[in-house]
Structures are given as structure tokens and as C-alpha cells.
Amino acid sequence: MAAGGADIAGRRAAIIPAVNYHLTSFGCQMNDHDAERMRGLLESLGYREAADRDDADLILFNTCTIRGSADDRFLGNLGEARRIKRANPDVVVAVGGCWAQSQKEQVFTQFPFVDIAFGPGEITRLGELIARERIEAVGAFSFDGAFSGTLPAKRDRPHHAWVQVSVGCNCVCSYCIVPSVRGRERSRIASEIIAEVERLAADGVREVTLLGQNVNSYGRDLPKGARTTFAELLREVGSIPDIWRVRYTSPHPKDMRDDVIAAMAETPTLCEHVHLPAQSGSTRVLKRMRRTYSRERYLDLVGRIRDGVPDVSLTTDLIVGFPGETDEDFCDTLSLVHEVRYDGAFTFVYSERPGTEAAADMADDIPAALKSERIQALVDTVHQTARARAQRFVGAAHEVLVEGPSRNDPTRLRGRLRQNITVNFSGDADPGTLATVRITGASSATLAGQQIEVHAIA
Ligand code: SAH
Ligand code: SF4
Ligand code: F3S
């Protein structure tokens, strides 16, 4: 593993002293994971992480461009990097990730103080780009390089690991910029994924989340002899010793086949949670979004998942204010939330993205005031449903994987149910162990509880 990284490490160690980097990462779980890989790579090259951007020799951003608000947030941060670089011209400013990919070489004309720009497909080359930067500003934007999943990782959570199973997306959702900034879908071969999870287990990881933009279309691009289906991959990862919990995100409803539901039902380590992005509850809007399923087919799928995996928790992504969304369409989204009874949802206001089909062909015609009215109504509905759903845990004892101290009250512990719901509880279990917790209360987002016992799984 990381043969290229080790080579680069060898060369770099000879020419540079240890230096400090500061990394700010925005965006989704794929970016969180890419950031862990960037940290791992930089630290293998002798870099150390600085607590403050002001103390860094290398200021690195891992960017997101999914909505206009993501761009704005990043650009605010980039302004601060410009100020630091003005005061100290030796500082190197590097911008990676999806926003960088969307801008390509334009980054250097728009923001001349940026030294390095690279897309999500070029993370493995970061060491080389830094070395070349000494001579000229460098950009790298191809998608044919090695998977970043082959690099060393500095994990955020010791007992949990993200595992990249594929990159890119072949869908054509009309609102979405991801396919243009993450490229065509490419799957890693299963043996490489399994070997990575086995190494993680040996390193103390007890829970893995398999990652892909469209995670359940995994394997279709692999050559015939080396093809593994997503359901087979789930079963294989789910039977690796010492891995207690397996999750995956995000599946596309159109690729959610019965063999995946059967794998979840029959493999004890596969957790009872599916994040199933619906985007809208209106078939008319879904069609214009090019999601390729109707409301009815989505609901049918939900029914099959609930039948196969009792007590599954379901979460989703929803967009309001898509071009042409009528009051009736929006009411269909609200009624979908009631009908599915989601345990949670990420809710977004439509944002026009350059280069997408919707931006080219559909006017962004829902007034801002109406968009904010709709998102508020949707958020309220999601909270109501989630709170009602969470009540089913109250009073019973549940298995919690302990993550560490509670965020709001360090005298308590924080962990997660198999259904991916956070529990804050009193107890003394160690991080990375399983505890049985009696659930005493529920809000829409978290549960409260009291530890009863610690499981001894050896
Ligand atoms: N590959 C994943 C995640 C894609 S991005 C998936 O398909 O599920 C995460 C979410 O951002 C999407 O599910 C969608 O709800 C939202 N999103 C994407 N593009 C958007 C846009 N232009 N405006 C608003 N929300 C958007
Ligand atoms: Fe975007 Fe659709 Fe691909 Fe998800 S499935 S990343 S929403 S194009
Ligand atoms: Fe953002 Fe790129 Fe993820 S655009 S949501 S970081 S795939």
C-alpha cells in the first residue's frame, strides 16, 4: 500500500525539514475521508498539523461546491489565507477538492496568490505537487490517478473508518454538479477493499462506513472476471472478524436491489439504517430532476426495506424550490416525509449550479421568500416525524457503540445506536466498546440514556 507515497516520502525527507500544515475541509463524507488521507499523506512526508492557520507553512483547503453557499463559505476562508500570505509570502496556499475542480486553471487567474490547485482525483499526487510548487504554480485535475483510499489515513475517530469503495458518479441528476467535479464512476476491486478493512480491524477499528457517491451501483464498471456486486461486497465486509458494525452511504434508490436488502437482513453486522435520498416527493419534480424513479416506486422500495429489515431507520436528502416546483409538488414532499416516517433528513434549498442541465434549461423561478417558507415548513415536519420515531426507543435497552465524551456535557458519554442515532448517556464504558444503554428520553436528533452494562466482545 502507498508505494508511491513512500517513494515521495523518501525523496521529500531528504530535501525539506519538518513543516506545519493547516487543513480546512468542507463538504460531504467523501471530503471528510479525503481530508483524512491528505493528513495521512502529509504526515508521512514529515509535516505536522498546526492548530492555527496563522502558524502554518502550508495552508490547505479541501473544498466543496455542491451549493452556492458552499462556495461562499470557502471563499471567506480563502480571503484569510490571502491576508496571511501577504504578510508572509513563503506560505504555500493549496486548494483541493470539488470547487478547485470546477474552476481548474481559472483558480490561478482569479486568485493569483494560490500556489497549488488540484481536483479530488489528484489527492495521491499532493506530495509531488508541493515539490513542484517550488518552481511554478501547479494545477492537477485528471480523474485517472490512483484511489486516494490507497494512501495512509489520519482518522478523525479511532474506532470508526470511512472506506472508499468507488469514486465519481454516472447519474445525471439535473441539479447536481458532482458528476462534473468527481468524474465517471470507478470502483475499487473488492479484494483491495477487504484487505483495507482487515488492516483497519487490526488497528482497532470496529465500525466502517463504505463510501461512494452512488455506493450501491458499486462494481458495475469492474471487468467481468473481477466483478463483485454491492450486495456481495456488503456480505464480505460484514463477515470480517472484529468489525462489529458496517454502514454505507449514499445509495441511489434506483440501484437499491432486493439482494442488498437480503444482505442487510442476513448479515448481523450490517446496521439497520439506510440513508435513501428521495430529493422530492413529487413524481413530476423527480422526473425533471432525472432521478429515474417515481414517488410510488420510492415508496414501494421503502416498504420492501421495512419488510426485510425490521426496525430499520430511514433518513434522506430533500431539496425544496427546484425550478417549477408548485405548492402541490411541495405538499407531496411534506406528505412523503409523513408517509415514510423518516428518522431524520438533510434538507436543502435548491441552488443553481453552473454547467448542470437545470441551470441551462430551467429558470430558477421560485422566489427566495417562498423557498425559505418551504424549507422552514419542511424542517418542522422532519423534526416532528423524527421526534415521533425516536420515541420507540424510550424505555428499552439498546446496544450503543461508545465514541467518547458527550459534546455538551463531558461528564456523560456519547455513542450511537445501530440505527445511527446519537445517544448521550451516563456511564463509564470505554470508547470503542459496546455498552447496553437504557434509553430514557428522546428529542428529534438525539437520545438520552443510562448505561446498564458493557458487552465483552473479544
Ligand atoms: N451522492 C450523494 C450525495 C450528493 S450531494 C447522493 O446522491 O445521495 C448531497 C445532497 O445535496 C444531494 O442528495 C442533494 O439533496 C443535495 N444537492 C445536490 N445538488 C444540489 C443543488 N444544486 N441544490 C441544492 N441541493 C443540492
Ligand atoms: Fe449528484 Fe445524483 Fe450523483 Fe447524487 S446520484 S452525486 S445527486 S448526480
Ligand atoms: Fe461537495 Fe464534492 Fe461532496 S461538491 S458534497 S465535497 S462530492
Side-chain angles (χ1 to χ4, degrees):
M1 163 178 138
D7 274 4
I8 296 166
R11 279 206 302 279
R12 297 286 292 158
I15 54 172
I16 53 157
V19 280
N20 292 327
Y21 73 94
H22 185 273
L23 169 58
T24 316
S25 186
F26 305 90
C28 62
Q29 292 102 330
M30 332 287 155
N31 256 24
D32 290 346
H33 179 57
D34 287 346
E36 292 182 335
R37 299 294 181 179
M38 290 182 195
R39 287 194 171 91
L41 173 65
L42 289 172
E43 298 195 9
S44 78
L45 298 178
Y47 281 72
R48 280 193 296 259
E49 187 156 15
D52 291 316
R53 201 174 276 159
D54 280 297
D55 299 330
D57 307 291
L58 168 66
I59 298 178
L60 174 60
F61 294 100
N62 188 28
T63 59
C64 171
T65 188
I66 194 78
R67 285 168 287 276
S69 54
D71 289 2
D72 296 344
R73 222 174 124 215
F74 159 64
L75 291 172
N77 280 261
L78 188 63
E80 197 198 308
R82 183 201 325 245
R83 176 188 65 71
I84 295 170
K85 177 124 182 168
R86 243 185 228 145
N88 179 3
D90 287 341
V91 167
V92 174
V93 177
V95 181
C98 296
W99 176 87
Q101 183 72 34
S102 74
Q103 303 296 309
K104 297 215 178 84
E105 305 293 344
Q106 278 176 50
V107 174
F108 301 117
T109 43
Q110 267 186 288
F111 304 96
F113 59 96
V114 171
D115 302 295
I116 301 171
F118 61 102
E122 299 277 28
I123 292 168
T124 52
R125 290 181 55 212
L126 180 56
E128 176 203 326
L129 299 177
I130 294 171
R132 274 177 41 205
E133 177 280 332
R134 275 138 205 267
I135 306 158
E136 56 181 349
V138 279
F141 306 104
S142 100
F143 291 118
D144 356 289
F147 286 101
S148 64
T150 56
L151 295 174
K154 185 182 172 192
R155 287 195 305 277
D156 284 344
R157 293 191 259 161
H159 307 288
H160 171 270
W162 305 111
V163 177
Q164 188 183 61
V165 305
S166 62
V167 293
C169 181
N170 290 354
C171 296
V172 290
C173 303
S174 59
Y175 50 83
C176 186
I177 199 168
V178 170
S180 75
V181 293
R182 290 258 168 182
R184 301 283 297 166
E185 188 172 301
R186 277 200 304 144
S187 303
R188 284 171 82 190
I189 55 167
S191 55
E192 203 182 286
I193 297 167
I194 305 293
E196 182 180 340
V197 179
E198 284 170 349
R199 275 195 305 272
L200 290 166
D203 196 30
V205 167
R206 296 292 168 256
E207 177 178 316
V208 293
T209 305
L210 308 184
L211 282 182
Q213 289 298 341
N214 177 359
V215 73
N216 55 337
S217 81
Y218 168 82
R220 298 215 177 121
D221 57 312
L222 291 172
K224 254 209 173 114
R227 196 172 298 157
T228 306
T229 64
F230 184 61
E232 287 163 352
L233 181 72
L234 281 179
R235 286 181 193 267
E236 284 190 45
V237 173
S239 58
I240 293 173
D242 295 330
I243 296 294
W244 301 337
R245 291 182 172 190
V246 178
R247 306 182 184 281
Y248 59 92
T249 202
S250 282
H252 193 301
K254 80 175 163 59
D255 295 311
M256 196 68 175
R257 298 201 326 237
D258 286 339
D259 59 351
V260 172
I261 301 173
M264 290 184 75
E266 291 159 20
T267 315
T269 51
L270 296 187
C271 289
E272 294 83 357
H273 171 223
V274 184
H275 181 70
L276 196 64
Q279 312 302 357
S280 170
S282 154
T283 297
R284 200 184 72 90
V285 172
L286 287 168
K287 202 163 193 180
R288 287 156 56 78
M289 288 178 161
R290 296 205 186 277
R291 290 291 288 178
T292 73
Y293 52 83
S294 62
R295 174 193 177 95
E296 289 65 36
R297 268 187 54 204
Y298 183 90
L299 284 170
D300 178 67
L301 173 59
V302 165
R304 280 184 285 131
I305 296 173
R306 287 210 188 283
D307 286 348
V309 189
D311 203 24
V312 69
S313 79
L314 290 173
T315 54
T316 197
D317 292 348
L318 295 164
I319 298 176
V320 303
F322 186 76
E325 183 188 68
T326 62
D327 283 340
E328 199 187 336
D329 293 324
F330 174 62
C331 286
D332 284 348
T333 297
L334 292 182
S335 72
L336 184 81
V337 173
H338 283 297
E339 209 165 329
V340 175
R341 292 174 295 123
Y342 288 114
D343 294 84
F346 296 113
T347 52
F348 306 107
V349 173
Y350 171 72
S351 164
E352 189 174 273
R353 304 314 289 136
T356 58
E357 184 193 341
D361 298 346
M362 304 174 203
D364 185 4
D365 58 355
I366 310 297
L370 186 54
K371 280 179 176 167
S372 60
E373 212 176 278
R374 285 182 182 166
I375 191 87
Q376 199 46 57
L378 181 60
V379 166
D380 290 347
T381 305
V382 166
H383 277 168
Q384 255 176 42
T385 324
R387 199 175 308 119
R389 284 285 290 161
Q391 300 307 318
R392 75 189 191 281
F393 298 111
V394 177
H398 285 273
E399 180 199 280
V400 170
L401 182 54
V402 185
E403 291 178 1
S406 166
R407 294 226 165 86
N408 298 328
D409 176 359
T411 65
R412 285 158 69 78
L413 293 172
R414 173 176 48 90
R416 236 173 258 240
L417 296 189
R418 290 172 59 90
Q419 284 85 353
N420 207 32
I421 297 167
T422 297
V423 187
N424 293 302
F425 61 101
S426 50
D428 59 2
D430 290 327
T433 59
L434 291 172
T436 303
V437 174
R438 181 167 304 284
I439 306 300
T440 52
S443 74
S444 63
T446 58
L447 301 173
Q450 172 106 42
Q451 180 186 322
I452 304 172
E453 59 178 285
V454 179
H455 294 243
I457 294 188

